[in-house]
Amino acid sequence: MTITSADLRQRGRQAAPPPFDPELAGPLSKVLAELPMPLTPQLIPDRRRRSRAGRLTDEQIRRDGTFEMEERTVPGPPGAPAITLLICRPTTASGPVPVIYHTHGGGMVAGSHRSTELTGELDRAQELNLAVVGVEYRLAPEHPDPAPVEDCYTGLCWLAEHAADEGFDPQRIVLSGNSAGGALAAGLALLTRDRSGPRPAGQLLQFPMLDDRCGTFSAGQMERVGLWDGLSNQAGWQALLGDRCGTPDVSCYAAPARATETSGLAPAFIEVGSVEALRDDGIGYAARIWQAGGEAELHVWSGAFHSFDEWVPDAVVSRAAHQARVAWLQRILAR
């Protein structure tokens, strides 16, 4: 008997979710009491308002002189508007420095290159003396696929081409993103491989959206559980892909789990929480990279919800996640 993705999701709906980490459960309840869930098209303006309210200021980005920053307007994809790159250079660096190329989250419909998850990128960059370059890509549903990933690819190509002039090492650019940003980082790794574009040193995929078909056990198990539940995930993909969502007419550069070839990719760090709808997508993607002879490091944080460390940074599991990312970056960039 063949088990379909619909079967898996339905089985998930009938299963109780794993328990939350005790340090995370209370804060999550407070967030959910104030945050309308799940995401719907009608809630997109609300998500954008919240994102704008949480944008990091120049002072927060500079961190008392740790970084110097500028916003640079560069040409966009052919026939498309220019894009903005947020360039953050460590002020104490000497010689070409590695770069974290940051693609922000926001469910494909919200967020910016100054969104709150940039804090984590700056934390890692500060600890390892790295630069951070964030890209402001166009958002769905007004700008559906392939606009977001093409914007990010164009920014990556500009970064690699001008790295020496900016004091960066073009051989040590790490793609990094959370949630929708993780989808874009993974899509970029596939796209630049297939176009023979800039070769990234690694891809840091934090709780990534990977599959528009939303047909895993965890998608059903956490359909109404956590911050980015299964129904919200479906809404984000629908905004990006419209009528193509869930059909064969979806590119792997939009939904990386659709890739038929996962060999030849930059080393991947993939992490998910055990109590999030995206859990099984991340586990499956890591397995496919291994099966193709590639390199992936997988972390499943027990009792954790989507993007937990952004909301509860002082929890023991959040500190462990930060340390794991830093350690992986150190190993990748030392090669």
Side-chain angles (χ1 to χ4, degrees), residues 250-282:
V250 174
S251 165
C252 67
Y253 311 129
R258 289 181 174 265
T260 57
E261 180 56 73
T262 54
S263 62
L265 293 174
F269 178 104
I270 302 172
E271 63 180 323
V272 292
S274 68
V275 202
E276 71 162 314
L278 305 182
R279 181 193 65 207
D280 295 350
D281 290 329

PDB file of all heavy atoms in Angstrom, residues 250-282:
ATOM      1  N   VAL A 250       6.244  24.015 -10.292  1.00  0.00           N
ATOM      2  CA  VAL A 250       6.947  24.799  -9.276  1.00  0.00           C
ATOM      3  C   VAL A 250       8.429  24.457  -9.352  1.00  0.00           C
ATOM      4  O   VAL A 250       8.813  23.290  -9.333  1.00  0.00           O
ATOM      5  CB  VAL A 250       6.405  24.516  -7.858  1.00  0.00           C
ATOM      6  CG1 VAL A 250       7.247  25.233  -6.805  1.00  0.00           C
ATOM      7  CG2 VAL A 250       4.956  24.949  -7.741  1.00  0.00           C
ATOM      8  N   SER A 251       9.262  25.473  -9.414  1.00  0.00           N
ATOM      9  CA  SER A 251      10.701  25.307  -9.528  1.00  0.00           C
ATOM     10  C   SER A 251      11.320  24.948  -8.187  1.00  0.00           C
ATOM     11  O   SER A 251      10.860  25.384  -7.127  1.00  0.00           O
ATOM     12  CB  SER A 251      11.317  26.615 -10.046  1.00  0.00           C
ATOM     13  OG  SER A 251      12.708  26.635  -9.848  1.00  0.00           O
ATOM     14  N   CYS A 252      12.414  24.204  -8.242  1.00  0.00           N
ATOM     15  CA  CYS A 252      13.156  23.901  -7.020  1.00  0.00           C
ATOM     16  C   CYS A 252      13.832  25.145  -6.457  1.00  0.00           C
ATOM     17  O   CYS A 252      14.190  25.174  -5.284  1.00  0.00           O
ATOM     18  CB  CYS A 252      14.192  22.815  -7.276  1.00  0.00           C
ATOM     19  SG  CYS A 252      15.542  23.283  -8.383  1.00  0.00           S
ATOM     20  N   TYR A 253      13.985  26.175  -7.278  1.00  0.00           N
ATOM     21  CA  TYR A 253      14.600  27.408  -6.768  1.00  0.00           C
ATOM     22  C   TYR A 253      13.617  28.177  -5.879  1.00  0.00           C
ATOM     23  O   TYR A 253      14.030  28.977  -5.051  1.00  0.00           O
ATOM     24  CB  TYR A 253      15.058  28.290  -7.928  1.00  0.00           C
ATOM     25  CG  TYR A 253      15.875  27.539  -8.953  1.00  0.00           C
ATOM     26  CD1 TYR A 253      15.576  27.596 -10.308  1.00  0.00           C
ATOM     27  CD2 TYR A 253      16.942  26.738  -8.545  1.00  0.00           C
ATOM     28  CE1 TYR A 253      16.317  26.890 -11.243  1.00  0.00           C
ATOM     29  CE2 TYR A 253      17.683  26.020  -9.472  1.00  0.00           C
ATOM     30  CZ  TYR A 253      17.364  26.098 -10.821  1.00  0.00           C
ATOM     31  OH  TYR A 253      18.098  25.379 -11.733  1.00  0.00           O
ATOM     32  N   ALA A 254      12.332  27.894  -6.049  1.00  0.00           N
ATOM     33  CA  ALA A 254      11.315  28.447  -5.156  1.00  0.00           C
ATOM     34  C   ALA A 254      11.088  27.522  -3.970  1.00  0.00           C
ATOM     35  O   ALA A 254      11.040  27.971  -2.818  1.00  0.00           O
ATOM     36  CB  ALA A 254      10.004  28.662  -5.913  1.00  0.00           C
ATOM     37  N   ALA A 255      10.933  26.240  -4.233  1.00  0.00           N
ATOM     38  CA  ALA A 255      10.678  25.224  -3.198  1.00  0.00           C
ATOM     39  C   ALA A 255      11.795  24.185  -3.293  1.00  0.00           C
ATOM     40  O   ALA A 255      11.690  23.222  -4.054  1.00  0.00           O
ATOM     41  CB  ALA A 255       9.312  24.579  -3.411  1.00  0.00           C
ATOM     42  N   PRO A 256      12.883  24.353  -2.561  1.00  0.00           N
ATOM     43  CA  PRO A 256      14.067  23.511  -2.749  1.00  0.00           C
ATOM     44  C   PRO A 256      13.834  22.019  -2.578  1.00  0.00           C
ATOM     45  O   PRO A 256      14.581  21.209  -3.158  1.00  0.00           O
ATOM     46  CB  PRO A 256      15.041  24.054  -1.696  1.00  0.00           C
ATOM     47  CG  PRO A 256      14.646  25.490  -1.547  1.00  0.00           C
ATOM     48  CD  PRO A 256      13.147  25.484  -1.652  1.00  0.00           C
ATOM     49  N   ALA A 257      12.821  21.605  -1.819  1.00  0.00           N
ATOM     50  CA  ALA A 257      12.549  20.179  -1.661  1.00  0.00           C
ATOM     51  C   ALA A 257      12.170  19.522  -2.979  1.00  0.00           C
ATOM     52  O   ALA A 257      12.206  18.299  -3.092  1.00  0.00           O
ATOM     53  CB  ALA A 257      11.448  19.961  -0.634  1.00  0.00           C
ATOM     54  N   ARG A 258      11.831  20.307  -3.968  1.00  0.00           N
ATOM     55  CA  ARG A 258      11.486  19.759  -5.277  1.00  0.00           C
ATOM     56  C   ARG A 258      12.707  19.441  -6.135  1.00  0.00           C
ATOM     57  O   ARG A 258      12.562  18.922  -7.241  1.00  0.00           O
ATOM     58  CB  ARG A 258      10.577  20.733  -6.027  1.00  0.00           C
ATOM     59  CG  ARG A 258       9.155  20.817  -5.449  1.00  0.00           C
ATOM     60  CD  ARG A 258       8.332  21.786  -6.257  1.00  0.00           C
ATOM     61  NE  ARG A 258       6.936  21.820  -5.855  1.00  0.00           N
ATOM     62  CZ  ARG A 258       5.958  21.115  -6.434  1.00  0.00           C
ATOM     63  NH1 ARG A 258       6.248  20.272  -7.412  1.00  0.00           N
ATOM     64  NH2 ARG A 258       4.706  21.237  -6.030  1.00  0.00           N
ATOM     65  N   ALA A 259      13.893  19.752  -5.669  1.00  0.00           N
ATOM     66  CA  ALA A 259      15.101  19.490  -6.447  1.00  0.00           C
ATOM     67  C   ALA A 259      15.245  17.991  -6.715  1.00  0.00           C
ATOM     68  O   ALA A 259      15.157  17.173  -5.794  1.00  0.00           O
ATOM     69  CB  ALA A 259      16.326  20.011  -5.713  1.00  0.00           C
ATOM     70  N   THR A 260      15.470  17.641  -7.964  1.00  0.00           N
ATOM     71  CA  THR A 260      15.701  16.239  -8.319  1.00  0.00           C
ATOM     72  C   THR A 260      17.165  15.859  -8.186  1.00  0.00           C
ATOM     73  O   THR A 260      17.490  14.671  -8.174  1.00  0.00           O
ATOM     74  CB  THR A 260      15.234  15.957  -9.747  1.00  0.00           C
ATOM     75  OG1 THR A 260      15.917  16.844 -10.652  1.00  0.00           O
ATOM     76  CG2 THR A 260      13.730  16.177  -9.887  1.00  0.00           C
ATOM     77  N   GLU A 261      18.027  16.868  -8.079  1.00  0.00           N
ATOM     78  CA  GLU A 261      19.466  16.638  -7.932  1.00  0.00           C
ATOM     79  C   GLU A 261      19.999  17.502  -6.799  1.00  0.00           C
ATOM     80  O   GLU A 261      19.948  18.732  -6.869  1.00  0.00           O
ATOM     81  CB  GLU A 261      20.181  16.988  -9.244  1.00  0.00           C
ATOM     82  CG  GLU A 261      21.672  16.791  -9.205  1.00  0.00           C
ATOM     83  CD  GLU A 261      22.060  15.363  -8.821  1.00  0.00           C
ATOM     84  OE1 GLU A 261      21.890  14.466  -9.670  1.00  0.00           O
ATOM     85  OE2 GLU A 261      22.515  15.175  -7.671  1.00  0.00           O
ATOM     86  N   THR A 262      20.465  16.854  -5.754  1.00  0.00           N
ATOM     87  CA  THR A 262      20.962  17.597  -4.591  1.00  0.00           C
ATOM     88  C   THR A 262      22.467  17.428  -4.410  1.00  0.00           C
ATOM     89  O   THR A 262      23.002  17.749  -3.341  1.00  0.00           O
ATOM     90  CB  THR A 262      20.234  17.157  -3.313  1.00  0.00           C
ATOM     91  OG1 THR A 262      20.346  15.735  -3.171  1.00  0.00           O
ATOM     92  CG2 THR A 262      18.771  17.558  -3.340  1.00  0.00           C
ATOM     93  N   SER A 263      23.149  16.950  -5.428  1.00  0.00           N
ATOM     94  CA  SER A 263      24.597  16.847  -5.347  1.00  0.00           C
ATOM     95  C   SER A 263      25.218  18.180  -5.759  1.00  0.00           C
ATOM     96  O   SER A 263      24.571  19.028  -6.372  1.00  0.00           O
ATOM     97  CB  SER A 263      25.117  15.733  -6.255  1.00  0.00           C
ATOM     98  OG  SER A 263      24.811  16.017  -7.612  1.00  0.00           O
ATOM     99  N   GLY A 264      26.473  18.367  -5.407  1.00  0.00           N
ATOM    100  CA  GLY A 264      27.196  19.558  -5.824  1.00  0.00           C
ATOM    101  C   GLY A 264      26.805  20.824  -5.114  1.00  0.00           C
ATOM    102  O   GLY A 264      27.111  21.920  -5.589  1.00  0.00           O
ATOM    103  N   LEU A 265      26.128  20.708  -3.970  1.00  0.00           N
ATOM    104  CA  LEU A 265      25.708  21.889  -3.226  1.00  0.00           C
ATOM    105  C   LEU A 265      26.737  22.273  -2.178  1.00  0.00           C
ATOM    106  O   LEU A 265      27.510  21.444  -1.707  1.00  0.00           O
ATOM    107  CB  LEU A 265      24.358  21.626  -2.547  1.00  0.00           C
ATOM    108  CG  LEU A 265      23.158  21.435  -3.469  1.00  0.00           C
ATOM    109  CD1 LEU A 265      21.936  21.035  -2.650  1.00  0.00           C
ATOM    110  CD2 LEU A 265      22.877  22.703  -4.265  1.00  0.00           C
ATOM    111  N   ALA A 266      26.722  23.538  -1.800  1.00  0.00           N
ATOM    112  CA  ALA A 266      27.573  23.990  -0.714  1.00  0.00           C
ATOM    113  C   ALA A 266      27.187  23.270   0.577  1.00  0.00           C
ATOM    114  O   ALA A 266      26.020  22.900   0.770  1.00  0.00           O
ATOM    115  CB  ALA A 266      27.421  25.498  -0.528  1.00  0.00           C
ATOM    116  N   PRO A 267      28.150  23.039   1.483  1.00  0.00           N
ATOM    117  CA  PRO A 267      27.826  22.394   2.759  1.00  0.00           C
ATOM    118  C   PRO A 267      26.668  23.101   3.460  1.00  0.00           C
ATOM    119  O   PRO A 267      26.600  24.330   3.478  1.00  0.00           O
ATOM    120  CB  PRO A 267      29.125  22.530   3.559  1.00  0.00           C
ATOM    121  CG  PRO A 267      30.194  22.632   2.521  1.00  0.00           C
ATOM    122  CD  PRO A 267      29.574  23.377   1.377  1.00  0.00           C
ATOM    123  N   ALA A 268      25.764  22.299   4.016  1.00  0.00           N
ATOM    124  CA  ALA A 268      24.538  22.841   4.603  1.00  0.00           C
ATOM    125  C   ALA A 268      24.498  22.599   6.100  1.00  0.00           C
ATOM    126  O   ALA A 268      24.909  21.541   6.594  1.00  0.00           O
ATOM    127  CB  ALA A 268      23.317  22.214   3.946  1.00  0.00           C
ATOM    128  N   PHE A 269      24.008  23.594   6.812  1.00  0.00           N
ATOM    129  CA  PHE A 269      23.611  23.475   8.213  1.00  0.00           C
ATOM    130  C   PHE A 269      22.098  23.636   8.212  1.00  0.00           C
ATOM    131  O   PHE A 269      21.584  24.664   7.772  1.00  0.00           O
ATOM    132  CB  PHE A 269      24.276  24.583   9.040  1.00  0.00           C
ATOM    133  CG  PHE A 269      23.908  24.586  10.504  1.00  0.00           C
ATOM    134  CD1 PHE A 269      24.806  24.107  11.452  1.00  0.00           C
ATOM    135  CD2 PHE A 269      22.702  25.109  10.947  1.00  0.00           C
ATOM    136  CE1 PHE A 269      24.494  24.140  12.815  1.00  0.00           C
ATOM    137  CE2 PHE A 269      22.384  25.139  12.297  1.00  0.00           C
ATOM    138  CZ  PHE A 269      23.276  24.655  13.231  1.00  0.00           C
ATOM    139  N   ILE A 270      21.379  22.617   8.666  1.00  0.00           N
ATOM    140  CA  ILE A 270      19.919  22.630   8.638  1.00  0.00           C
ATOM    141  C   ILE A 270      19.415  22.398  10.055  1.00  0.00           C
ATOM    142  O   ILE A 270      19.831  21.438  10.720  1.00  0.00           O
ATOM    143  CB  ILE A 270      19.362  21.548   7.699  1.00  0.00           C
ATOM    144  CG1 ILE A 270      19.898  21.752   6.272  1.00  0.00           C
ATOM    145  CG2 ILE A 270      17.840  21.549   7.698  1.00  0.00           C
ATOM    146  CD1 ILE A 270      19.560  20.619   5.324  1.00  0.00           C
ATOM    147  N   GLU A 271      18.532  23.282  10.522  1.00  0.00           N
ATOM    148  CA  GLU A 271      17.989  23.111  11.864  1.00  0.00           C
ATOM    149  C   GLU A 271      16.487  23.346  11.866  1.00  0.00           C
ATOM    150  O   GLU A 271      15.961  24.177  11.116  1.00  0.00           O
ATOM    151  CB  GLU A 271      18.672  24.039  12.852  1.00  0.00           C
ATOM    152  CG  GLU A 271      18.474  25.510  12.582  1.00  0.00           C
ATOM    153  CD  GLU A 271      19.179  26.378  13.615  1.00  0.00           C
ATOM    154  OE1 GLU A 271      19.202  26.009  14.804  1.00  0.00           O
ATOM    155  OE2 GLU A 271      19.700  27.430  13.214  1.00  0.00           O
ATOM    156  N   VAL A 272      15.823  22.588  12.719  1.00  0.00           N
ATOM    157  CA  VAL A 272      14.382  22.697  12.916  1.00  0.00           C
ATOM    158  C   VAL A 272      14.086  22.432  14.388  1.00  0.00           C
ATOM    159  O   VAL A 272      14.925  21.901  15.118  1.00  0.00           O
ATOM    160  CB  VAL A 272      13.603  21.688  12.038  1.00  0.00           C
ATOM    161  CG1 VAL A 272      13.705  22.034  10.570  1.00  0.00           C
ATOM    162  CG2 VAL A 272      14.097  20.257  12.285  1.00  0.00           C
ATOM    163  N   GLY A 273      12.894  22.794  14.819  1.00  0.00           N
ATOM    164  CA  GLY A 273      12.428  22.415  16.141  1.00  0.00           C
ATOM    165  C   GLY A 273      11.614  21.140  16.050  1.00  0.00           C
ATOM    166  O   GLY A 273      11.012  20.840  15.014  1.00  0.00           O
ATOM    167  N   SER A 274      11.567  20.391  17.126  1.00  0.00           N
ATOM    168  CA  SER A 274      10.773  19.159  17.106  1.00  0.00           C
ATOM    169  C   SER A 274       9.281  19.452  17.129  1.00  0.00           C
ATOM    170  O   SER A 274       8.471  18.592  16.773  1.00  0.00           O
ATOM    171  CB  SER A 274      11.133  18.261  18.297  1.00  0.00           C
ATOM    172  OG  SER A 274      10.729  18.842  19.526  1.00  0.00           O
ATOM    173  N   VAL A 275       8.900  20.690  17.536  1.00  0.00           N
ATOM    174  CA  VAL A 275       7.482  21.044  17.618  1.00  0.00           C
ATOM    175  C   VAL A 275       7.194  22.162  16.620  1.00  0.00           C
ATOM    176  O   VAL A 275       6.722  23.241  16.974  1.00  0.00           O
ATOM    177  CB  VAL A 275       7.090  21.485  19.047  1.00  0.00           C
ATOM    178  CG1 VAL A 275       5.567  21.322  19.232  1.00  0.00           C
ATOM    179  CG2 VAL A 275       7.814  20.688  20.111  1.00  0.00           C
ATOM    180  N   GLU A 276       7.494  21.906  15.355  1.00  0.00           N
ATOM    181  CA  GLU A 276       7.135  22.852  14.307  1.00  0.00           C
ATOM    182  C   GLU A 276       6.745  22.123  13.040  1.00  0.00           C
ATOM    183  O   GLU A 276       7.228  21.015  12.753  1.00  0.00           O
ATOM    184  CB  GLU A 276       8.267  23.839  14.030  1.00  0.00           C
ATOM    185  CG  GLU A 276       9.492  23.291  13.340  1.00  0.00           C
ATOM    186  CD  GLU A 276      10.327  24.420  12.735  1.00  0.00           C
ATOM    187  OE1 GLU A 276       9.750  25.303  12.083  1.00  0.00           O
ATOM    188  OE2 GLU A 276      11.562  24.403  12.919  1.00  0.00           O
ATOM    189  N   ALA A 277       5.884  22.735  12.275  1.00  0.00           N
ATOM    190  CA  ALA A 277       5.350  22.116  11.065  1.00  0.00           C
ATOM    191  C   ALA A 277       6.434  21.813  10.043  1.00  0.00           C
ATOM    192  O   ALA A 277       6.305  20.874   9.244  1.00  0.00           O
ATOM    193  CB  ALA A 277       4.280  23.032  10.449  1.00  0.00           C
ATOM    194  N   LEU A 278       7.518  22.583  10.030  1.00  0.00           N
ATOM    195  CA  LEU A 278       8.570  22.416   9.034  1.00  0.00           C
ATOM    196  C   LEU A 278       9.585  21.343   9.413  1.00  0.00           C
ATOM    197  O   LEU A 278      10.536  21.107   8.658  1.00  0.00           O
ATOM    198  CB  LEU A 278       9.301  23.753   8.830  1.00  0.00           C
ATOM    199  CG  LEU A 278       8.431  24.953   8.455  1.00  0.00           C
ATOM    200  CD1 LEU A 278       9.306  26.183   8.233  1.00  0.00           C
ATOM    201  CD2 LEU A 278       7.606  24.662   7.223  1.00  0.00           C
ATOM    202  N   ARG A 279       9.395  20.690  10.541  1.00  0.00           N
ATOM    203  CA  ARG A 279      10.379  19.717  11.046  1.00  0.00           C
ATOM    204  C   ARG A 279      10.752  18.658  10.013  1.00  0.00           C
ATOM    205  O   ARG A 279      11.937  18.460   9.696  1.00  0.00           O
ATOM    206  CB  ARG A 279       9.813  19.044  12.298  1.00  0.00           C
ATOM    207  CG  ARG A 279      10.745  18.015  12.937  1.00  0.00           C
ATOM    208  CD  ARG A 279       9.977  17.185  13.965  1.00  0.00           C
ATOM    209  NE  ARG A 279       8.929  16.373  13.352  1.00  0.00           N
ATOM    210  CZ  ARG A 279       7.821  15.975  13.990  1.00  0.00           C
ATOM    211  NH1 ARG A 279       7.602  16.339  15.239  1.00  0.00           N
ATOM    212  NH2 ARG A 279       6.928  15.227  13.356  1.00  0.00           N
ATOM    213  N   ASP A 280       9.775  17.967   9.476  1.00  0.00           N
ATOM    214  CA  ASP A 280      10.066  16.821   8.617  1.00  0.00           C
ATOM    215  C   ASP A 280      10.617  17.247   7.261  1.00  0.00           C
ATOM    216  O   ASP A 280      11.370  16.486   6.636  1.00  0.00           O
ATOM    217  CB  ASP A 280       8.809  15.961   8.448  1.00  0.00           C
ATOM    218  CG  ASP A 280       8.358  15.331   9.755  1.00  0.00           C
ATOM    219  OD1 ASP A 280       9.120  15.406  10.746  1.00  0.00           O
ATOM    220  OD2 ASP A 280       7.239  14.785   9.802  1.00  0.00           O
ATOM    221  N   ASP A 281      10.274  18.456   6.797  1.00  0.00           N
ATOM    222  CA  ASP A 281      10.872  18.961   5.560  1.00  0.00           C
ATOM    223  C   ASP A 281      12.376  19.131   5.725  1.00  0.00           C
ATOM    224  O   ASP A 281      13.163  18.755   4.849  1.00  0.00           O
ATOM    225  CB  ASP A 281      10.255  20.309   5.178  1.00  0.00           C
ATOM    226  CG  ASP A 281       8.818  20.202   4.710  1.00  0.00           C
ATOM    227  OD1 ASP A 281       8.464  19.169   4.134  1.00  0.00           O
ATOM    228  OD2 ASP A 281       8.058  21.162   4.928  1.00  0.00           O
ATOM    229  N   GLY A 282      12.794  19.711   6.850  1.00  0.00           N
ATOM    230  CA  GLY A 282      14.220  19.913   7.076  1.00  0.00           C
ATOM    231  C   GLY A 282      14.974  18.603   7.217  1.00  0.00           C
ATOM    232  O   GLY A 282      16.072  18.431   6.664  1.00  0.00           O
TER     233      GLY A 282
END
